[in-house]
Amino acid sequence: MSCKGCALSVAIGLAPGDSTGAENLLNMKADDIKKYLVYPSDRENAKFIVNHSFEPLTLGHLVVQPVKCQKSSSQIHDLDPQETQRLFTVVQASSKALQELLNPPRIYFWSFNEQSNGNNWHLHVHVAPRFTSLRGSGWLYFLDNAPKKPVSVDKDKIEGLVVQLREKMSRIVANYFASE
């Protein structure tokens, strides 16, 4: 197992596999991995995973990925139009929850989906709040001057935020998908 999204999926029971492999890749025990899971609360009907990044640029740096993508998709064009709409509805809900809880001046989202160090990557979208420390004169500042390594974010703060995000995300997503 070389993909962190797949490791998360195994660790939380959405995919079959060896949780020891997931723990080794993420360098965490399965119970700690689960603390980063924001969405879904209903794993039986899960179509998306939202988790706080294991290597955050800032507090609130989320990763959104369709469950299906962990099996077959690496690019947005691999999704059918309905899946794409649902993906970005969850991205929008993630952004709304972050805005309500953290009130940053801006929220960024991006998707590179490049292979790195031989790891197998699947489609995922990053959603992250901008704070004063990340401000610059242009939008590229965020990417060009982002830390080369993950920022040290207090795990207690992450866990506290994740608890709040779970409640917000469940409510927001339920409202967004109520008409389906």
Side-chain angles (χ1 to χ4, degrees):
M1 180 179 317
S2 61
C3 173
K4 291 180 181 180
C6 291
L8 173 65
S9 169
V10 168
I12 64 173
L14 278 177
D18 175 18
S19 65
T20 304
E23 290 175 344
N24 289 339
L25 178 65
L26 296 170
N27 199 26
M28 300 174 139
K29 294 289 183 198
D31 287 342
D32 291 328
I33 294 168
K34 292 174 186 176
K35 293 176 184 176
Y36 283 73
L37 181 68
V38 173
Y39 179 84
S41 54
D42 173 12
R43 291 182 182 87
E44 188 175 317
N45 298 308
K47 297 195 184 314
F48 300 93
I49 296 172
V50 179
N51 64 282
H52 196 285
S53 175
F54 298 109
E55 299 174 342
L57 293 177
T58 186
L59 179 66
H61 177 178
L62 304 180
V63 180
V64 181
Q65 54 195 333
V67 171
K68 174 186 173 185
C69 290
Q70 295 178 16
K71 298 175 186 156
S72 63
S73 301
S74 64
Q75 306 257 350
I76 192 77
H77 59 260
D78 291 331
L79 298 177
D80 67 42
Q82 183 180 15
E83 289 172 312
T84 303
Q85 180 179 3
R86 289 179 66 90
L87 168 64
F88 281 95
T89 298
V90 175
V91 168
Q92 181 183 33
S94 300
S95 177
K96 184 176 177 83
L98 286 169
Q99 187 66 46
E100 288 181 11
L101 290 170
L102 300 176
N103 196 29
R106 181 154 319 270
I107 295 175
Y108 294 109
F109 67 95
W110 67 95
S111 180
F112 295 125
N113 302 314
E114 297 291 334
Q115 288 191 338
S116 172
N117 301 324
N119 289 335
N120 181 22
W121 287 93
H122 303 285
L123 178 63
H124 60 281
V125 178
H126 294 263
V127 181
R130 179 182 79 186
F131 291 105
T132 305
S133 63
L134 295 175
R135 278 194 193 168
S137 60
W139 72 274
L140 287 174
Y141 177 87
F142 177 73
L143 300 176
D144 291 341
N145 295 302
K148 302 300 182 224
K149 302 191 252 190
V151 173
S152 177
V153 178
D154 183 88
K155 289 185 181 189
D156 290 336
K157 286 184 179 180
I158 290 174
E159 290 175 18
L161 179 61
V162 166
V163 168
Q164 293 176 314
L165 284 167
R166 282 182 190 143
E167 185 277 322
K168 290 265 184 210
M169 285 288 298
S170 293
R171 179 182 49 77
I172 292 167
V173 171
N175 289 337
Y176 284 171
F177 291 130
S179 61
E180 291 185 3

